[in-house]
Amino acid sequence: MDPAPPLSARHEQVLQATIRHYIATAEPVGSRALAQEYNLRVSPATVRNTMGLLEKYGLLYQPHTSSGRVPSDFGYRLYVDRLMSPSARVGRRVDAALSEELRWMGRSLESLLKEATQILAQISGYLALVTVPQANTVLIRHIQLVAVDGGQVLMVVLLDSLATQSVVVQLPAVLGAATSGAVGEPGRRDLEILSNFLTHHLRGRPLADVTTLNWGDLDAEFEHYGVLLCQALGHLAQRSQAAETPQLVISGLAEVLRQPEFSDAQRIQSIVRLLEEDQSQLWPLFFATPPVATQTLKGVDVKVWIGAENPLEPMQGCALVVSNYTRHDTSVGSVGVLGPTRMVYENAVAVVKAAADYLSTALSE
């Protein structure tokens, strides 16, 4: 894309008025309407000449020779980077809604994120998308060993996302007898001590760190468990990483279908197919940087993909606004809204920024 041209204050004013008119009406606009509706304090002829120059720069275009003008993707890009400011009012509304309506106690992170996407979709009027933290980004909260039948021990790992991972350990006969229910209290005591040992050393660490545990800290009477538990933990970590498929929580399809750009059944079908069947193609848009400028707001990067900047063809008539949310300053997921390029960017950026801030704070507490 060509670099943004130098624009005077009048050029920026006319571009801003054109974009705001088109966002509000979805109709091309002419110079006379702009001059009358936006108090530009210049004649329609001056506005017409300015619009012609903006068209020459590639910021506006005419869908038909006899029609008014509409913003191009390049025009939206310049507007987002130079002319618009996120809506503080909408940001406060998102923060208040999430604070009042989400109840964290005793619920899984995935269910909370599902509820959060519903709130974001309702407030923004666009499709809300949130990625669920992957296992290599969530931390161990507690480990419990439980005796089961046949000399087996169930290892349950509770993560700070409130999800659990589990694996069954088959003990050799001599150890199985020592920990089975038939023996009673000594077996339960051993498992309780081992559970406390594992929790103490692994709490607050990623699941992938289980293989680095120093088994030399284990008392001599429990050394015979070390190899088995180490193998079980390693298997659990490998299985989790191998099976891990990033999850995307989506809400708001009904909201976005109200936009005139999505009245074309074929267009919306291609987007739905992408969201339902080819989600892996979306990950670069969440975690990479667009080939153009990004918004940086108080330390939170809000990335805006506009129209043809999207490498995925079904999304080239759309805009995607995304930001990462963190836990203790480490990025663990992304939150975004997807809508037409004729998006109210002031609101969309505010929604995404406020949601990312809220999730980052909640996960870090």
Side-chain angles (χ1 to χ4, degrees):
M1 182 177 291
D2 295 334
L7 298 181
S8 68
R10 179 182 298 165
H11 296 151
E12 291 183 348
Q13 188 181 28
V14 171
L15 176 63
Q16 188 173 47
T18 305
I19 289 176
R20 288 183 174 176
H21 183 281
Y22 188 64
I23 288 173
T25 67
E27 296 290 340
V29 62
S31 56
R32 184 173 300 277
L34 283 186
Q36 293 174 347
E37 295 176 20
Y38 290 89
N39 193 27
L40 299 180
R41 298 182 180 178
V42 292
S43 68
T46 300
V47 174
R48 183 167 54 253
N49 291 337
T50 303
M51 295 179 80
L53 184 61
L54 294 173
E55 184 175 6
K56 180 180 178 182
Y57 286 152
L59 300 169
L60 303 177
Y61 71 95
Q62 285 183 290
H64 309 287
T65 55
S66 59
S67 70
R69 291 175 174 85
V70 300
S72 66
D73 292 347
F74 189 23
Y76 284 125
R77 167 54 59 192
L78 192 147
Y79 175 75
V80 167
D81 291 340
R82 290 192 192 178
L83 304 180
M84 76 97 193
S85 296
S87 170
R89 177 185 58 81
V90 171
R92 289 192 297 268
R93 182 182 172 194
V94 170
D95 185 68
L98 293 175
S99 299
E100 293 171 6
E101 298 183 35
L102 292 189
R103 298 292 180 263
W104 291 82
M105 188 63 65
R107 296 177 58 191
S108 71
L109 179 60
E110 185 173 352
S111 70
L112 288 164
L113 293 180
K114 183 176 181 179
E115 188 172 342
T117 59
Q118 294 171 349
I119 295 171
L120 300 182
Q122 291 168 2
I123 293 176
S124 69
Y126 305 122
L127 201 67
L129 313 98
V130 180
T131 66
V132 178
Q134 297 178 248
N136 60 357
T137 66
V138 294
L139 308 179
I140 294 172
R141 175 179 289 189
H142 183 76
I143 297 178
Q144 186 69 41
L145 300 174
V146 181
V148 294
D149 294 338
Q152 295 178 324
V153 172
L154 177 66
M155 177 186 295
V156 181
V157 180
L158 175 65
L159 303 171
D160 65 354
S161 65
L162 302 185
T164 59
Q165 302 279 348
S166 62
V167 63
V168 174
V169 182
Q170 178 65 58
L171 300 180
V174 62
L175 298 182
T179 59
S180 68
V183 175
E185 190 63 33
R188 289 194 292 272
R189 173 182 172 275
D190 285 358
L191 294 181
E192 183 178 348
I193 291 173
L194 289 168
S195 297
N196 292 339
F197 171 82
L198 293 172
T199 298
H200 173 73
H201 286 279
L202 292 174
R203 182 188 288 119
R205 296 169 64 179
L207 191 58
D209 280 6
V210 296
T211 56
T212 66
L213 182 60
N214 182 8
W215 293 94
D217 293 337
L218 198 59
D219 291 343
E221 63 181 302
F222 298 106
E223 286 180 353
H224 47 270
Y225 295 105
V227 173
L228 289 169
L229 295 180
C230 184
Q231 290 175 348
L233 285 164
H235 172 71
L236 187 61
Q238 291 176 2
R239 187 184 70 188
S240 176
Q241 292 173 355
E244 173 113 331
T245 300
Q247 292 179 278
L248 185 63
V249 182
I250 303 170
S251 183
L253 187 59
E255 279 79 4
V256 82
L257 284 176
R258 297 190 185 103
Q259 304 292 337
E261 289 85 349
F262 298 107
S263 59
D264 182 349
Q266 186 173 357
R267 167 179 281 189
I268 195 62
Q269 285 174 5
S270 64
I271 293 175
V272 170
R273 190 178 303 113
L274 178 67
L275 295 173
E276 291 183 347
E277 302 174 10
D278 299 312
Q279 288 186 5
S280 61
Q281 296 188 55
L282 293 170
W283 302 125
L285 302 183
F286 282 102
F287 299 108
T289 299
V292 286
T294 63
Q295 284 283 340
T296 302
L297 305 164
K298 295 183 180 180
V300 177
D301 288 333
V302 179
K303 295 172 285 191
V304 184
W305 298 81
I306 301 174
E309 295 169 4
N310 288 297
L312 304 177
E313 184 176 353
M315 294 179 59
Q316 290 183 354
C318 302
L320 176 67
V321 181
V322 295
S323 181
N324 293 344
Y325 62 92
T326 64
R327 180 176 46 239
H328 303 303
D329 298 324
T330 299
S331 177
V332 295
S334 288
V335 55
V337 295
L338 175 69
T341 54
R342 190 186 57 83
M343 173 185 281
V344 184
Y345 291 96
E346 292 91 336
N347 292 352
V349 171
V351 165
V352 168
K353 178 184 181 299
D357 283 349
Y358 176 84
L359 292 175
S360 297
T361 300
L363 289 176
S364 298
E365 289 178 341

